[in-house]
Amino acid sequence: MKIYKTKSGILLEHQESYYLLKSHDWDRYINDDNLYEKTMDEIGEMPPIKNGPELIANELEAPIQNQEVWASGVTYYNSKLGRQEESKDAGGGSFYAHVYEAERPELFFKSPAHRVVGHGKKVRIRKDSSWDVPEPELTLLISSNGKIIGYTVGNDMSSRSIEGENPLYLPQAKSYDGSTALGPCILVTNMTLSKNTKINLEISRANKVVFGGSIGIDQIKRSFEELASFL
């Protein structure tokens, strides 16, 4: 099941059929520990609509309303090595080594909802940064009870030059207008996300791919439930 936030309402997609909920508040609707069962019940009582793809193409919004976006750092071994290398001249390399092994993970506030951009929209970089990178992320939708109820795609734009200068500059490197992208939808399922799931990234300039990479979520050191529990 896929859930889209559109200007016309909440759009549900299941097995290539679309269903529109016009009078539901986004926050109230998705904040449900039984979100999958609820959406399945909804489509069982509604006729499908024909213009679902058009709504996605023309009215799509970021799948967030008033929630906060938090992020977890140093969850991959390669991330630990990269952050250590970037910050070693500033004397901060050991912090990343310690947090990778520590009981408490690195969690940081990433963005309020109004600073998030949706699928196909433009992210931003800081003018006082000399090195900026997109970071493709598996993003968890967590209910107010702390239960993981869905997944989406995230882009954690980061200023590597600022964070590398000093780890205490992390908020400036990570949290600014347009630094977060989410979407296009929320994936809701009654099954555990497969460990074979891959995160892929391509960077294109002038219609030419200049960088491509892929990593499996099985390389994430901590479980999703563990990360959610610390929030």
Side-chain angles (χ1 to χ4, degrees), residues 146-208:
K147 181 179 179 180
I148 298 170
I149 54 177
Y151 309 89
T152 190
V153 177
N155 183 358
D156 170 21
M157 285 298 302
S158 303
S159 167
R160 282 279 166 257
S161 59
I162 292 177
E163 183 182 359
E165 185 177 344
N166 192 314
L168 295 179
Y169 294 159
L170 181 70
Q172 298 174 69
K174 293 283 192 176
S175 301
Y176 55 87
D177 193 25
S179 65
T180 308
L182 294 177
C185 64
I186 301 293
L187 172 66
V188 181
T189 175
N190 62 347
M191 297 181 294
T192 302
L193 199 64
S194 171
K195 289 295 185 180
N196 294 323
T197 301
K198 301 291 184 182
I199 298 175
N200 303 298
L201 168 71
E202 284 189 354
I203 299 176
S204 300
R205 297 193 178 102
N207 297 318
K208 181 180 179 181

Side-chain angles (χ1 to χ4, degrees), residues 68-229:
E68 297 175 344
V69 181
W70 284 69
S72 178
V74 199
T75 50
Y76 295 91
Y77 181 69
N78 285 345
S79 177
K80 177 183 85 77
L81 296 180
R83 301 298 83 75
Q84 286 180 264
E85 178 65 25
E86 292 164 15
S87 60
K88 65 180 183 180
D89 291 341
S94 63
F95 286 98
Y96 296 100
H98 291 161
V99 78
Y100 183 77
E101 302 293 345
E103 178 181 354
R104 179 178 294 275
E106 179 195 10
L107 297 172
F108 58 90
F109 178 74
K110 175 63 181 176
S111 181
H114 72 273
R115 295 188 183 277
V116 176
V117 300
H119 177 72
K121 300 300 190 296
K122 292 183 178 181
V123 294
R124 304 177 69 179
I125 60 176
R126 291 181 59 113
K127 65 181 181 181
D128 58 349
S129 174
S130 60
W131 179 23
D132 304 272
V133 298
E135 296 185 23
E137 306 285 3
L138 172 65
T139 306
L140 309 177
L141 172 61
I142 303 173
S143 74
S144 58
N145 290 324
K147 181 179 179 180
I148 298 170
I149 54 177
Y151 309 89
T152 190
V153 177
N155 183 358
D156 170 21
M157 285 298 302
S158 303
S159 167
R160 282 279 166 257
S161 59
I162 292 177
E163 183 182 359
E165 185 177 344
N166 192 314
L168 295 179
Y169 294 159
L170 181 70
Q172 298 174 69
K174 293 283 192 176
S175 301
Y176 55 87
D177 193 25
S179 65
T180 308
L182 294 177
C185 64
I186 301 293
L187 172 66
V188 181
T189 175
N190 62 347
M191 297 181 294
T192 302
L193 199 64
S194 171
K195 289 295 185 180
N196 294 323
T197 301
K198 301 291 184 182
I199 298 175
N200 303 298
L201 168 71
E202 284 189 354
I203 299 176
S204 300
R205 297 193 178 102
N207 297 318
K208 181 180 179 181
V209 176
V210 297
F211 176 83
S214 176
I215 192 167
I217 66 170
D218 60 340
Q219 297 301 303
I220 299 176
K221 181 178 187 289
R222 303 175 189 265
S223 72
F224 304 148
E225 290 75 18
E226 177 186 0
L227 293 172
S229 72

